Amino acid sequence: MDIQLKRGLLDVSVLAALRNGDSYGYKIIKDMSPYLTLSESTLYTILKRLEAADMLTVWTAEHDGRLRKYYRITDAGRRRIAEFEEDWKEMDRIYQFITREGAT
């Protein structure tokens, strides 16, 4: 798969994991695991990139005596998901053209 395409898909996937509520790294990986495999190092690279793009916010809170980073999607992150959904419709039309029956 094209590296830029995969990067974009993973970014939107992480945003989608945060769409329904704040979360932290391990839980994001766990929530995504039925759909794709994502290493911790890849996830944290994505989270930093999304934070730099103002698509999520980050804060720390104590949990069981340790500090844990939590992530929250922003309005810009929600807009990115909506843009992806529109882009996907176009990709699906292209896919349908490429894979149509009787193509010569």
Side-chain angles (χ1 to χ4, degrees):
M1 176 183 290
D2 176 75
I3 191 78
Q4 292 300 325
L5 177 59
K6 186 172 184 177
R7 179 179 175 183
L9 290 171
L10 292 176
D11 286 2
V12 174
S13 296
V14 170
L15 290 170
L18 294 167
R19 178 174 29 200
N20 294 324
D22 304 344
S23 194
Y24 54 94
Y26 176 76
K27 184 164 183 343
I28 294 169
I29 289 173
K30 185 178 172 191
D31 291 346
M32 294 174 72
S33 67
Y35 307 98
L36 59 103
T37 301
L38 194 64
S39 70
E40 283 186 40
S41 61
T42 299
L43 173 65
Y44 288 108
T45 299
I46 292 167
L47 289 168
K48 286 179 184 181
R49 184 170 53 244
L50 294 172
E51 180 185 13
D54 295 322
M55 292 189 196
L56 54 81
T57 58
V58 182
W59 76 96
T60 57
E62 188 172 327
H63 178 78
D64 291 336
R66 296 179 50 185
L67 288 179
R68 177 184 281 171
K69 278 189 177 183
Y70 287 88
Y71 302 89
R72 175 179 294 154
I73 192 170
T74 64
D75 289 340
R78 291 183 189 284
R79 283 191 302 274
R80 178 63 194 110
I81 292 172
E83 290 167 2
F84 172 81
E85 290 169 346
E86 286 303 311
D87 291 344
W88 191 257
K89 290 175 188 176
E90 182 178 357
M91 289 292 292
D92 186 51
R93 288 190 301 271
I94 293 168
Y95 173 80
Q96 295 303 320
F97 172 74
I98 292 169
T99 60
R100 71 190 186 285
E101 291 287 323
T104 54

